[in-house]
C-alpha cells in the first residue's frame, strides 16, 4: 500500500502483512538503494529524523550530515556537502539529480525499484534495517517561560553528553537522543526522542520535559 499527502511530497508504505513500513524508514530504504547503485555518497536528513539513516550511509561508505528541520534547510545542507540523496523523516525524499525538492513520486519509483531488485517482500525488506522507535510529544509555551534560559540549563546539566544547538536543542545519550525544537507556527516546543525501544524513547522524552518544567 502507498499513501501520500495532498501535495505529494511525503509518502509512507504499508507492508504485505498489514503493518506500516514507517514514514521514518521511507528515506532509509530509498537512500539504501541509491547509495548501493552509486557505490556510496553523502546523505542528509533533518535532526529529528531517525538515526538509522546515518548507519546505512556509513555502511555504504559515505558520510551522513544532519540539517535543521525544514525542506529549505535540508536542501542547503545537501548542496553544501554534495549529497546524492536526502530528505526528511516525514517521508520526504529529495533526489538532487532530478530536482531539489521533496517528491513522493520519485520516492515511490525508487522504493519500488529497490523492492524489485531485492526480490523481497516489503515486510522482509523492513526487517533488514535497524529497528528504532520514536516518541513524539509537545510542550505548551507559556508567557513566563524563558526558553533560552531553559536550554542553557539543560546544556549545563547534560554537558557530558553530545549537544547540538543548530535547531533548538538536541541531546545524544548512550540510550538514544532527544530533540527539543520550538515550533515556527504554534506556541509549543516539539519534543522528539528515539531509542531502540518505545519505552526508553518515551522515558527519555518524559525526563527532558520534566527538566523543562523544573528550569522554567
Amino acid at each position: 500500500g502507498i499513501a501520500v499527502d495532498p501535495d505529494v511530497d511525503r509518502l509512507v508504505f504499508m507492508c504485505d502483512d498489514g503493518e506500516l513500513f514507517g514514514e521514518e524508514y521511507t528515506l532509509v530504504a530509498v537512500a539504501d538503494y541509491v547509495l548501493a547503485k552509486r557505490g556510496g555518497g553523502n546523505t542528509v536528513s533533518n535532526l529529528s529524523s531517525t538515526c538509522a539513516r546515518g548507519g546505512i550511509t556509513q555502511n555504504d561508505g559515505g558520510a551522513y550530515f544532519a540539517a535543521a528541520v525544514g525542506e529549505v534547510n535540508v536542501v542547503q545542507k545537501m548542496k553544501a556537502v554534495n549529497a546524492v540523496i536526502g530528505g526528511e523523516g516525514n517521508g520526504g525524499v529529495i533526489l538532487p539529480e532530478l530536482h531539489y525538492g521533496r517528491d513522493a513520486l520519485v520516492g515511490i519509483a525508487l522504493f519500488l525499484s529497490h523492492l524489485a531488485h531485492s526480490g523481497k517482500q516489503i515486510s522482509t525488506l523492513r526487517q533488514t534495517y535497524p529497528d528504532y522507535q520514536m516518541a513524539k510529544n509537545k510542550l505548551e509555551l507559556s508567557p513566563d517561560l524563558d526558553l533560552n534560559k531553559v536550554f542553557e540549563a539543560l546544556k549545563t546539566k547534560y554537558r557530558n553528553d553530545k549537544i547540538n544547538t543548530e535547531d533548538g536543542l538536541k541531546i545524544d545519550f548512550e540510550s538514544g537522543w532527544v530533540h527539543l525544537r520550538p515550533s515556527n507556527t504554534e506556541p509549543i516546543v516539539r519534543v522528539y526522542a528515539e531509542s531502540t525501544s518505545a519505552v526508553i524513547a518515551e522515558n527519555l522524552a518524559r525526563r527532558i520535559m520534566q527538566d523543562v518544567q523544573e528550569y522554567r
Side-chain angles (χ1 to χ4, degrees):
I2 303 171
V4 301
D5 65 332
D7 59 350
V8 201
D9 67 349
R10 294 178 290 173
L11 83 146
V12 65
F13 296 91
M14 180 174 285
C15 300
D16 50 281
D17 59 4
E19 296 294 325
L20 288 174
F21 192 82
E23 63 177 6
E24 288 288 334
Y25 284 83
T26 297
L27 180 59
V28 172
V30 167
D32 187 27
Y33 175 71
V34 170
L35 291 172
K37 290 298 180 183
R38 297 181 65 100
N42 296 337
T43 69
V44 175
S45 63
N46 68 44
L47 285 164
S48 289
S49 299
T50 178
C51 57
R53 170 69 266 118
I56 293 298
T57 304
Q58 292 170 3
N59 290 342
D60 287 326
Y64 167 74
F65 299 88
V69 174
E71 181 179 14
V72 64
N73 298 317
V74 173
V75 167
Q76 288 175 351
K77 181 74 75 173
M78 289 179 68
K79 291 179 178 179
V81 303
N82 196 30
V84 299
I85 186 77
E88 298 190 277
N90 56 19
V93 174
I94 302 173
L95 185 67
E97 67 180 83
L98 183 63
H99 67 91
Y100 277 105
R102 294 184 311 203
D103 193 325
L105 297 180
V106 170
I108 291 169
L110 291 172
F111 188 92
L112 294 181
S113 296
H114 186 23
L115 199 61
H117 281 87
S118 72
K120 297 182 175 69
Q121 290 186 313
I122 187 172
S123 58
T124 305
L125 179 65
R126 176 62 181 83
Q127 293 170 9
T128 65
Y129 299 119
D131 191 20
Y132 291 101
Q133 301 295 319
M134 192 172 289
K136 298 182 179 182
N137 298 274
K138 62 182 179 181
L139 284 170
E140 299 286 340
L141 284 175
S142 57
D144 63 331
L145 178 63
D146 186 340
L147 200 56
N148 290 327
K149 180 180 178 181
V150 171
F151 281 1
E152 287 302 318
L154 290 174
K155 286 163 59 178
T156 299
K157 180 173 182 177
Y158 297 108
R159 58 185 175 276
N160 294 326
D161 297 291
K162 184 179 178 181
I163 301 290
N164 187 309
T165 58
E166 184 177 355
D167 185 12
L169 178 66
K170 184 174 182 178
I171 308 171
D172 280 286
F173 302 100
E174 288 187 6
S175 58
W177 57 262
V178 180
H179 186 199
L180 296 94
R181 179 179 176 271
S183 170
N184 293 324
T185 57
E186 302 175 77
I188 61 172
V189 175
R190 301 192 185 280
V191 184
Y192 289 0
E194 185 182 58
S195 185
T196 52
S197 82
V199 172
I200 296 176
E202 283 289 354
N203 286 340
L204 284 173
R206 189 176 300 112
R207 170 181 164 190
I208 296 299
M209 289 190 290
Q210 289 174 347
D211 285 338
V212 172
Q213 297 299 331
E214 177 183 344
Y215 294 129
R216 62 183 306 137

